[in-house]
Amino acid sequence: MNAHIPSTDGNVTIDRMNSGFGDERLIFPATQRNRIPIGDVLAKQLPASGLILEIASGSGEHGVTFQKRFPSLIWQCSDPDPEHCRSIDSWIRHEQLKLKMPPALQLDIRDTALTQQLGEPLQAIVAINLLHISAWDCTTALLRQSAALLPNGGTLCVYGPFCVDGHHVSESNQSFDDSLRQRNPAWGVRDQTTVLKQACEEGLTLQNITLMPANNRMITWVR
């Protein structure tokens, strides 16, 4: 996975990381725009309490936002990039959430020893803007690990752009997909139909598909 996070938010490619706070916090501009609509959907999909694991948390801005919005949950951020983990921890300190929110875990969803890094049972897994900027084996690993780690009734929420039956839902998503594949042939906007089939094979049941701003979607499965 890459240190930068391209996004279709606002129908433009955004992958710039800004700092300048005098600490290790990073800013992903798209986060400022999409955290409210994402949070609104998560409010309907997440349990009332318990541990939530966010995969590929990036800067940590989503994590601290959702920890504050859902105080009855424990929001566990994670990312394979050590720079991102430092940013997450810096955001936790800045938002004075150290007593509530655990430090970032440096983990890759493809790690087969993932269960050893979690302190308590999970209730849900969240992945925001991951599938299109990682190889297909990250998608299959996310679905497989979710089926293995979540309890019966646990949820997996995945946000990002998708095409449907091989067709892009907008010209901007087509352009975005082209730019991703130019950067890395293993990247690209995933086909919703293919992802749903793979999830079913892993033992996950589709709960809901929510259309989101800027041609994104939130797909939610139940274990």
Side-chain angles (χ1 to χ4, degrees):
M1 281 177 273
N2 195 279
H4 301 286
I5 298 189
S7 168
T8 55
D9 192 75
N11 294 317
V12 296
T13 299
I14 303 168
D15 64 350
R16 188 162 48 93
M17 298 193 305
N18 297 323
S19 57
F21 294 117
D23 55 25
E24 294 183 288
R25 282 179 292 158
L26 302 171
I27 292 179
F28 293 159
T31 306
Q32 303 299 316
R33 289 183 285 274
N34 65 28
R35 59 186 177 178
I36 292 177
I38 291 176
D40 289 344
V41 176
L42 291 177
K44 302 174 183 178
Q45 306 293 344
L46 295 179
S49 61
L51 179 65
I52 312 301
L53 174 63
E54 183 185 359
I55 299 297
S57 301
S59 65
E61 294 167 276
H62 279 135
V64 295
T65 296
F66 299 147
Q67 181 64 86
K68 293 168 70 175
R69 179 165 179 173
F70 308 117
S72 296
L73 298 174
I74 300 173
W75 201 273
Q76 174 67 72
C77 289
S78 70
D79 202 281
D81 188 323
E83 182 182 16
H84 288 181
C85 289
R86 291 191 295 270
S87 175
I88 293 164
D89 290 340
S90 189
W91 272 108
I92 291 173
R93 291 191 296 269
H94 177 76
E95 297 293 337
Q96 300 181 9
L97 291 168
K98 286 184 67 177
L99 297 180
K100 175 64 176 178
M101 196 171 175
L105 293 176
Q106 186 178 345
L107 60 82
D108 190 310
I109 191 60
R110 295 168 292 191
D111 185 357
T112 56
L114 185 59
T115 55
Q116 300 175 11
Q117 302 185 55
L118 301 174
E120 59 182 276
L122 291 175
Q123 297 303 314
I125 295 175
V126 175
I128 299 171
N129 283 329
L130 168 64
L131 271 56
H132 58 284
I133 54 162
S134 59
W136 174 247
D137 66 344
C138 283
T139 297
T140 57
L142 174 65
L143 299 172
R144 182 176 63 254
Q145 295 272 32
S146 297
L149 295 172
L150 290 172
N152 289 335
T155 55
L156 168 64
C157 302
V158 176
Y159 169 89
F162 291 88
C163 58
V164 179
D165 293 330
H167 301 286
H168 287 285
V169 300
S170 69
E171 291 185 3
S172 62
N173 276 23
Q174 172 73 72
S175 299
F176 183 57
D177 185 43
D178 292 341
S179 68
L180 288 172
R181 295 180 188 278
Q182 288 175 2
R183 293 181 183 210
N184 187 328
W187 292 1
V189 174
R190 301 303 172 196
D191 184 79
Q192 175 180 286
T193 307
T194 304
V195 174
L196 294 179
K197 179 181 178 182
Q198 184 69 36
C200 182
E201 292 177 358
E202 297 293 348
L204 299 172
T205 300
L206 178 65
Q207 183 180 58
N208 196 45
I209 300 175
T210 305
L211 300 183
M212 305 287 287
N215 300 308
N216 289 299
R217 296 167 183 237
M218 179 78 80
I219 304 180
T220 304
W221 291 271
V222 176
R223 165 71 166 81

